[in-house]
Amino acid sequence: MNDKPEHQNPLAIGEKTLLIIDDDTPYRQRLALAMEKRGFQVTQAESVDAGIAAAKANPPRFAVVDLRLADGSGLDVVPEIKKTRPDCRAVILTGYGNIATAVAAIKSGAVDYLPKPADADQVEAALLDHKDALPPPPEQPMTADRVRWEHIQRVYEQCDRNVSETARRLRMHRRTLQRILAKYAPKA
C-alpha cells in the first residue's frame, strides 16, 4: 500500500524556500513575515552580494528581488540565482517601473515584474503562477503622453542610450529627443 497521497503538492514544505533581496529593511521584513505566514521558509538579504551569497549557500525555489539595490541592480542577481537553481521562480519588484526595465527583468529570467509596494497576496500569486490572479484593471490607465514617453525610453535603452541612433530610429530630430529625455516622466 502506498503511504503517499495520490495528489501530492509539488511545493511540499521543503520546496517553499524563498529568498527576499531588498534594501528597504522595513518593507523586506514585513514581506518576509507575511510570506512565512503563507508557509514559505524565508531568507533575507539586503544587497546584491549578500543575495548571491545566500542563493549559493541555500538555492531557493522562489526569489523576490528589488530592481534597484544600494550596491547594484537586481537584474544582475536573477541570473546568478538561476545558475544555482534553474527552476527558481524569481519576481522583480520596483518602485521605478517602466517598460524597458520590465522587458529586461523578463529577459534576465524573472517570471514577473511587480510595482512596489506589492502586497504579499500579489507576490504569492506571481510566485505560484495563479492563473486567476490577474490584477484588476487600472482606475487611471497611462495617459497617451506617458505611453509615448515609455516607448521613447524603451527604444533609447535598446540603442544603448545613444541619442543620435534613438532619434534616427524614432524618426525625430536629435534635439527634440534630447529635450524629451531631459524632462521628467509625465504623470501616469
Side-chain angles (χ1 to χ4, degrees):
M1 194 169 207
N2 191 355
D3 292 337
K4 291 182 182 179
E6 285 183 32
H7 302 288
Q8 185 173 0
N9 183 356
L11 298 176
I13 298 231
E15 283 296 302
K16 287 185 86 171
T17 55
L18 172 64
L19 174 60
I20 300 175
I21 306 169
D22 197 325
D23 55 0
D24 180 354
T25 303
Y27 177 77
R28 183 184 70 241
Q29 290 174 343
R30 281 192 313 272
L31 181 61
L33 183 61
M35 297 310 284
E36 284 173 351
K37 288 180 181 177
R38 287 168 168 74
F40 288 87
Q41 297 171 350
V42 180
T43 303
Q44 298 181 45
E46 63 183 20
S47 66
V48 171
D49 293 336
I52 292 171
K56 287 180 179 177
N58 187 16
R61 174 68 177 93
F62 301 100
V64 176
V65 183
D66 189 14
L67 179 67
R68 292 191 183 178
L69 298 164
D71 64 338
S73 172
L75 297 177
D76 298 331
V77 178
V78 175
E80 294 297 320
I81 294 172
K82 291 287 210 173
K83 284 180 189 174
T84 63
R85 181 147 186 184
D87 67 336
C88 178
R89 292 184 54 83
V91 172
I92 296 284
L93 293 179
T94 184
Y96 307 96
N98 64 41
I99 293 170
T101 54
V103 170
I106 300 304
K107 284 184 177 180
S108 75
V111 295
D112 211 337
Y113 180 89
L114 299 174
K116 270 183 156 180
D119 65 23
D121 292 331
Q122 293 171 311
V123 172
E124 182 182 32
L127 290 173
L128 299 179
D129 196 25
H130 291 161
K131 299 294 182 204
D132 59 347
L134 289 176
E139 297 217 7
Q140 296 181 340
M142 284 195 292
T143 64
D145 287 338
R146 178 63 186 216
V147 171
R148 176 179 180 251
W149 186 84
E150 293 276 352
H151 176 66
I152 289 169
Q153 289 294 319
R154 181 172 49 85
V155 174
Y156 182 57
E157 290 294 327
Q158 289 173 336
C159 292
D160 295 324
R161 300 178 152 259
N162 182 318
V163 175
S164 297
E165 179 64 16
T166 304
R168 185 186 67 74
R169 289 182 186 221
L170 292 173
R171 295 184 207 105
M172 68 172 39
H173 196 275
R174 185 180 55 78
R175 294 240 200 214
T176 302
L177 177 61
Q178 284 177 316
R179 282 193 293 275
I180 292 169
L181 293 172
K183 293 180 183 178
Y184 291 108
K187 299 283 185 208

